[in-house]
Amino acid sequence: MINKLLVANRGEIACRVMKTAKLLGIQTVAVYSDADANARHVAMADEAVNLGPAPSKESYLRGDLIIEHAKTLGVDAIHPGYGFLSENAEFANLCKSNNIIFVGPPASAIEAMGSKSAAKRIMEEAGVPLVPGYHGDDQQESTLKKSADEMGYPVLLKAAAGGGGKGMRQVWNESEFTQALNAAKRESMASFGDDHMLVEKYLTRPRHVEIQVFCDSHGNGVYLFERDCSVQRRHQKIIEEAPAPNMSQEIRERMGEAAILAAKAINYEGAGTVEFLLDEDGSFYFMEMNTRLQVEHPVTEMITGEDLVQWQLSVAEGNALPKTQQELTLNGHSFEARIYAEDPANNFLPSTGTLHLLQPPEQSSLVRVDTGVIQGDEVSVYYDPMIAKLVVWGESRDIALKRLLHALGDYHIAGVTTNIEFLKRVASFSAFQAAELTTTFVDKHNDALFAEVKRDTQAKLPAMALLAILHRRLGKSMDVFDKHSHESSPWFTTGAWRANSTYKEQVTVLVGEEEFHAKVNHTLGGETSEAWEVVVGDNTFIVSGSINNHQLRANINGIESRYTFAVKDDEFGLFNQDTHINFSVVAPSHGDDDHNNGNSNFDAPMNGTIVAHLVKPGEQVKKGEPILVMEAMKMEHSITAPSDGVVDSFYFEPGELVDGGALLLEFTNADS
Ligand code: ADP
């Protein structure tokens, strides 16, 4: 019996696990780092213990400390969530040797699947179909490259210890091999402390379909159908759904049985996921098995009506599975969208900051929000930038999709850049609506998806300009404009406005990394009259409106809309069903841009660590050539040359920590 459960994790998954534990009357213990002292998962737990400083290595990965606290507090079982210690065989063993139940598979099963290459060998023997590739121990570059050359390009390099798309690189031809291998190895070493690689044939149009399996300690195993996780960016899932659209019952059963075969081959117990690539002709290949609860498990819960955490706890107590294969039914359709603090337009770079406004959609049995944050919380550089998972259910895919779009529309977040607009774009995109899903979906439709995002932002400029003007009139945002104060520009006038004045001003707003411009003509407006002329490109809009509390009422060319807005320092957030924009107002540049040698491109995009200099000081580089690699939020980011030129010097050495915004290097344009 489990009476007291320690959740060795943070964020949404810690909250998710505790929710079920509470329903079952199980007492909960949270663990937290210094950065998370006020986090939601800590508040939810009956007891909580501090593990140490923010970096995971010094807190959430301290298995020894966690066990020590568990013993002191009389904990019967530890749920590891996903990530952190969830797939750490040593930790599973440590639990066992201390008489604490590890809510997960036996250590031997984790070990067997912990290395992608070893896992492939086991599956090959068990007769589970594999993607052609090299998964041997010989790690010499020449051996790896030879296997790629023989297989034919494109190939995919994968970290044997990998996960979450880290340590993975596509290689399209022979000449790219060495650079890609080095980058993949570096990323793998940084994330997993190991740089063992495998080489696989890269399938160009596969779907990612995975099977949820469950096994107990009595030899029973069932599959809870499949999830389609094809829509990804940088090999990381963004929208998942269950069941997989257009999946025949015949393939579902064959894949389900192959997944059980895979689980039985390693004497699996508990919740696991067997990932397959499904090719266009209906053939499928084993990719890997995740020996934990997945991020996307809620879509399975929605279509089966089962609580997978409850199943996990029951199996961990030694009970038989709650249901047989025949008793499990698949009902309706479910989507999960991962809400991230990131900037899709800037290569999905993680965004950090304080969540000044956090308004999730209304929840019901049809709309579920799994989150670990509350308004006012910080999205820091230390952990994954996922803010929440939005999960919906519908009788059919079409109904569920419509519900997803509406719920995304109701999700309003200010303070960090989010991917919500992008998710809405994807979910309303014709190919997505038609379920034409492959893992290359985002890349393939990249131009169309982003062109629309940009058009959308442009269309919102009149409302954004109106908000800025009205807010300035209220006099609440003096600091916004004082900061960039320029006396001759009325845009920066903080005092009273002249009624019926006749000046025009250029309004520049920054959305993510991109600037947008509008001209505002004050001939019509001012202190007393209530309308302005806003010119965006070739279009002219007559705008008027008012603000009250956090509501903006905007009338644009006679059409009334209502918005929620947030303002903090110089950041505005503007929201309604169709609008999710975080922006700041920019001072006009009075400098002479011709003399800019481009150094502004070399600011660190965020707090992080320098990984490598790819050139030497004094070295000539070509436009677009990568010159420096930094790591932030466990992802590598390359800084590339904006033009042909010379790197004069680097300000930080590999291994050094840098603050976001710090100048990283000195660069001279070839033609300056
Ligand atoms: P991770 O453990 O890092 O998540 P996976 O092995 O699960 O890595 O692969 C992640 C994603 O990469 C898959 O969902 C798929 O989109 C893509 N992928 C993996 N292997 C291949 C392959 N051989 N060909 C094409 N795409 C692949």
Side-chain angles (χ1 to χ4, degrees):
M1 277 292 277
I2 300 174
N3 292 311
K4 199 173 195 183
L5 178 74
L6 182 149
V7 184
N9 214 301
R10 65 180 299 282
E12 68 87 15
I13 193 62
C15 298
R16 158 72 193 93
V17 171
M18 285 193 242
K19 188 172 140 205
T20 292
K22 279 175 189 280
L23 282 174
L24 299 173
I26 295 173
Q27 281 200 36
T28 53
V29 178
V31 293
Y32 64 95
S33 72
D34 293 346
D36 281 339
N38 299 313
R40 180 164 179 255
H41 78 277
V42 178
M44 255 182 99
D46 297 311
E47 289 170 286
V49 285
N50 177 273
L51 294 175
S56 324
K57 272 202 188 105
E58 297 168 53
S59 49
Y60 294 105
L61 290 173
R62 288 286 308 272
D64 55 333
L65 250 187
I66 292 173
I67 298 276
E68 211 175 281
H69 287 303
K71 287 195 337 204
T72 314
L73 294 171
V75 162
D76 316 295
I78 297 183
H79 194 302
Y82 54 71
F84 296 130
L85 296 166
S86 62
E87 290 172 291
N88 184 317
E90 205 182 306
F91 181 69
N93 268 328
L94 203 57
C95 289
K96 198 170 172 190
S97 59
N98 282 285
N99 266 326
I100 297 169
I101 299 170
F102 175 75
V103 183
S108 56
I110 301 179
E111 244 154 30
M113 294 294 113
S115 157
K116 287 188 201 216
S117 45
K120 295 215 165 177
R121 269 175 256 151
I122 297 172
M123 292 307 148
E124 204 163 30
E125 277 168 33
V128 180
L130 296 185
V131 190
Y134 173 80
H135 36 85
D137 288 331
D138 181 353
Q139 288 290 301
Q140 291 179 66
E141 182 177 334
S142 56
T143 309
L144 298 174
K145 180 152 183 303
K146 185 156 164 270
S147 75
D149 291 347
E150 283 171 6
M151 224 179 308
Y153 293 86
V155 300
L156 189 66
L157 297 172
K158 276 189 190 177
K166 282 159 206 146
M168 196 183 276
R169 286 288 186 286
Q170 292 165 21
V171 191
W172 288 87
N173 57 57
E174 208 183 320
S175 68
E176 292 174 356
F177 190 89
T178 303
Q179 202 190 338
L181 181 67
N182 290 339
K185 281 185 164 227
R186 257 199 322 266
E187 200 168 285
S188 177
M189 188 50 93
S191 302
F192 315 110
D194 175 296
D195 64 359
H196 196 105
M197 287 287 142
L198 48 103
V199 188
E200 258 178 27
K201 179 88 200 139
Y202 185 67
L203 306 181
T204 48
R205 290 223 298 263
R207 288 166 69 183
H208 172 125
V209 178
E210 57 184 36
I211 302 280
Q212 174 71 56
V213 294
F214 244 101
C215 299
D216 62 23
S217 55
H218 308 276
N220 304 307
V222 297
Y223 60 90
L224 289 92
F225 316 110
E226 77 283 358
R227 297 182 283 258
D228 191 318
C229 311
S230 299
V231 179
Q232 309 178 338
R233 51 121 178 85
R234 288 213 215 106
H235 299 300
Q236 280 189 285
K237 301 157 187 170
I238 33 184
I239 300 185
E240 299 102 333
E241 58 182 295
N246 307 318
M247 178 102 164
S248 70
Q249 188 56 25
E250 189 255 335
I251 295 183
R252 172 170 298 131
E253 278 170 21
R254 275 203 292 130
M255 204 183 263
E257 277 153 23
I260 298 285
L261 196 64
K264 295 235 160 124
I266 55 167
N267 297 318
Y268 202 76
E269 280 173 36
T273 294
V274 185
E275 297 187 335
F276 294 97
L277 287 175
L278 174 61
D279 217 345
E280 289 162 295
D281 62 1
S283 44
F284 55 83
Y285 308 99
F286 171 85
M287 238 187 324
E288 65 169 344
M289 178 165 183
N290 293 317
T291 54
R292 52 168 157 83
L293 191 68
Q294 297 274 92
V295 176
E296 59 273 22
H297 76 275
V299 291
T300 299
E301 298 188 317
M302 294 299 247
I303 60 155
T304 58
E306 304 297 330
D307 179 332
L308 298 193
V309 174
Q310 186 171 354
W311 278 49
Q312 281 191 299
L313 295 172
S314 175
V315 167
E317 284 180 326
N319 300 318
L321 291 176
K323 287 195 173 165
T324 63
Q325 193 66 56
Q326 286 68 38
E327 286 168 338
L328 286 163
T329 51
L330 191 165
N331 180 25
H333 203 96
S334 177
F335 286 97
E336 173 183 281
R338 300 191 189 188
I339 316 279
Y340 278 104
E342 66 180 16
D343 183 5
N346 189 16
N347 205 14
F348 299 99
L349 199 70
S351 149
T352 54
T354 304
L355 299 162
H356 299 306
L357 179 81
L358 185 62
Q359 281 183 348
E362 198 173 320
Q363 296 192 55
S364 65
S365 58
L366 308 174
V367 177
R368 162 174 167 184
V369 176
D370 281 18
T371 188
V373 290
I374 50 173
Q375 188 163 297
D377 278 359
E378 184 92 13
V379 179
S380 76
V381 292
Y382 297 109
Y383 313 112
D384 189 86
M386 191 168 77
I387 298 170
K389 305 185 310 203
L390 173 62
V391 186
V392 300
W393 183 89
E395 293 80 352
S396 67
R397 186 175 192 269
D398 290 347
I399 295 171
L401 189 48
K402 220 166 141 188
R403 192 163 281 141
L404 175 70
L405 275 164
H406 198 267
L408 281 168
D410 279 347
Y411 220 129
H412 300 160
I413 301 172
V416 294
T417 306
T418 74
N419 64 341
I420 293 177
E421 280 282 345
F422 180 74
L423 289 170
K424 282 177 60 196
R425 272 291 137 227
V426 172
S428 55
F429 201 69
S430 54
F432 188 86
Q433 299 259 341
E436 289 160 15
L437 308 174
T438 71
T439 57
T440 54
F441 183 93
V442 172
D443 283 342
K444 181 174 165 199
H445 300 297
N446 186 72
D447 292 352
L449 287 167
F450 284 102
E452 288 187 50
V453 168
K454 193 167 170 176
R455 264 200 304 278
D456 259 24
T457 308
Q458 217 122 24
K460 311 282 161 51
L461 273 176
M464 290 151 77
L466 176 67
L467 172 61
I469 291 168
L470 292 173
H471 194 261
R472 175 178 57 186
R473 281 212 320 188
L474 265 187
K476 278 192 182 163
S477 57
M478 299 293 190
D479 61 324
V480 177
F481 303 99
D482 276 341
K483 202 159 144 187
H484 310 294
S485 162
H486 188 269
E487 282 183 2
S488 65
S489 166
W491 182 242
F492 299 103
T493 303
T494 52
W497 282 44
R498 276 179 298 138
N500 300 317
S501 47
T502 56
Y503 57 81
K504 293 178 178 172
E505 63 179 314
Q506 159 113 346
V507 178
T508 300
V509 299
L510 190 65
V511 180
E513 291 282 291
E514 198 159 356
E515 286 191 352
F516 293 86
H517 308 281
K519 287 201 180 68
V520 178
N521 186 344
H522 290 259
T523 313
L524 305 168
E527 195 79 45
T528 49
S529 72
E530 289 294 332
W532 291 267
E533 196 177 73
V534 177
V535 183
V536 181
D538 296 333
N539 301 314
T540 300
F541 304 86
I542 305 298
V543 307
S544 62
S546 60
I547 49 180
N548 182 9
N549 204 1
H550 281 280
Q551 303 300 313
L552 166 71
R553 187 185 57 74
N555 186 309
I556 296 169
N557 285 350
I559 298 173
E560 261 310 290
S561 312
R562 275 161 207 282
Y563 299 85
T564 299
F565 74 89
V567 192
K568 179 77 183 177
D569 300 330
D570 53 356
E571 295 287 329
F572 289 84
L574 185 63
F575 309 97
N576 65 15
Q577 259 292 321
D578 299 321
T579 310
H580 300 77
I581 294 192
N582 284 286
F583 67 96
S584 53
V585 179
V586 183
S589 162
H590 299 287
D592 183 349
D593 279 345
D594 291 347
H595 294 300
N596 185 346
N597 66 3
N599 271 338
S600 58
N601 294 319
F602 302 114
D603 292 347
M606 60 199 316
N607 298 357
T609 313
I610 303 297
V611 175
H613 299 160
L614 301 179
V615 299
K616 295 201 174 58
E619 204 171 312
Q620 302 270 356
V621 292
K622 290 252 167 283
K623 179 174 179 182
E625 196 177 312
I627 46 190
L628 176 146
V629 182
M630 67 178 281
E631 192 214 79
M633 289 178 141
K634 302 222 168 74
M635 297 294 293
E636 280 200 357
H637 308 281
S638 292
I639 309 285
T640 54
S643 61
D644 293 359
V646 176
V647 176
D648 300 314
S649 56
F650 290 102
Y651 292 124
F652 297 93
E653 291 304 310
E656 276 191 82
L657 280 169
V658 293
D659 290 334
L663 185 63
L664 298 172
L665 55 97
E666 201 67 44
F667 184 84
T668 308
N669 276 349
D671 52 9
S672 68

